[in-house]
Amino acid sequence: MPASNAINVYDIYSVSCDERDIGSITNDKYIQSKIRSKILFTKGLSSFDIEVEVFYGEVYLLGLVQSDGFKNVLLQLAKDTAGVRKVHEYIRIKQANYPCSSTKILANLKANLFSDSSVKSTNVRIGVVGCDVVFSGIVATHEYEKHAIWYAKHIDGVADVYSFLRVLR
């Protein structure tokens, strides 16, 4: 996919609220598309179980895989993608059942973040891995990060909270 098309899939409202410049957003979306495509065509990996976020060339892989072997395959395919500066991961081995509803956790957390004017929620990406909440994205201050983590810790069913949020100031 040409880099100019990568921005077309990105919501215009989100672009206007994003802390990154348009060139960084475009490059990050292009890298994200390449990695998602690799996941889609790699036997044993599921694009439904793995989220890919990219900020300033740094890749964040969040999700579930069937084994450590698939985790290693996933990490290597991301590292081998042109433009990737660094790979961060929150990948866990998939279990048969979880004592929570990831959909319910995600819905509650998004509702809380979108209603809070102190957090620019368009810059915060939320992943639910098993019963853990994982944040990635860019926030302006540590206070924004603290707010997001506080909300996650107060939602029924959340086992743990991890933050990959990048603070600009």
Side-chain angles (χ1 to χ4, degrees):
M1 172 195 307
S4 62
N5 290 342
I7 198 66
N8 293 336
V9 299
Y10 201 80
D11 180 73
I12 298 302
Y13 175 74
S14 293
V15 170
S16 70
C17 295
D18 203 306
E19 300 286 343
R20 298 170 291 175
D21 61 73
I22 194 73
S24 295
I25 293 169
T26 302
N27 289 335
D28 290 344
K29 284 302 191 181
Y30 184 62
I31 292 168
Q32 181 185 44
S33 296
K34 289 193 298 186
I35 294 171
R36 283 182 175 168
S37 178
K38 288 180 178 184
I39 291 169
L40 184 63
F41 292 107
T42 301
K43 187 176 181 173
L45 294 180
S46 170
S47 57
F48 294 111
D49 291 332
I50 302 165
E51 294 180 45
V52 179
E53 296 294 344
V54 182
F55 300 95
Y56 296 112
E58 294 191 18
V59 174
Y60 299 83
L61 301 170
L62 316 173
L64 302 168
V65 293
Q66 296 296 329
S67 69
D68 282 328
F70 286 118
K71 177 179 177 177
N72 294 334
V73 168
L74 175 63
L75 292 173
Q76 195 59 51
L77 73 83
K79 288 176 184 176
D80 291 343
T81 302
V84 172
R85 293 181 35 233
K86 188 173 183 180
V87 177
H88 307 270
E89 58 87 8
Y90 195 93
I91 301 294
R92 300 298 181 253
I93 305 304
K94 193 174 194 175
Q95 299 176 14
N97 294 308
Y98 291 93
C100 66
S101 166
S102 59
T103 306
K104 189 174 181 180
I105 290 171
L106 187 60
N108 286 339
L109 188 51
K110 282 190 173 190
N112 286 330
L113 289 176
F114 278 115
S115 65
D116 186 335
S117 61
S118 68
V119 179
K120 277 190 176 179
S121 57
T122 55
N123 293 340
V124 176
R125 308 302 192 275
I126 305 163
V128 180
V129 179
C131 296
D132 299 344
V133 171
V134 184
F135 291 107
S136 61
I138 302 168
V139 292
T141 69
H142 284 290
E143 288 303 312
Y144 289 176
E145 180 181 33
K146 288 179 188 176
H147 277 285
I149 291 169
W150 185 89
Y151 281 122
K153 287 183 175 182
H154 290 87
I155 291 180
D156 288 337
V158 172
D160 199 7
V161 179
Y162 192 84
S163 175
F164 283 117
L165 290 172
R166 183 174 175 177
V167 180
L168 291 180
R169 295 179 207 130

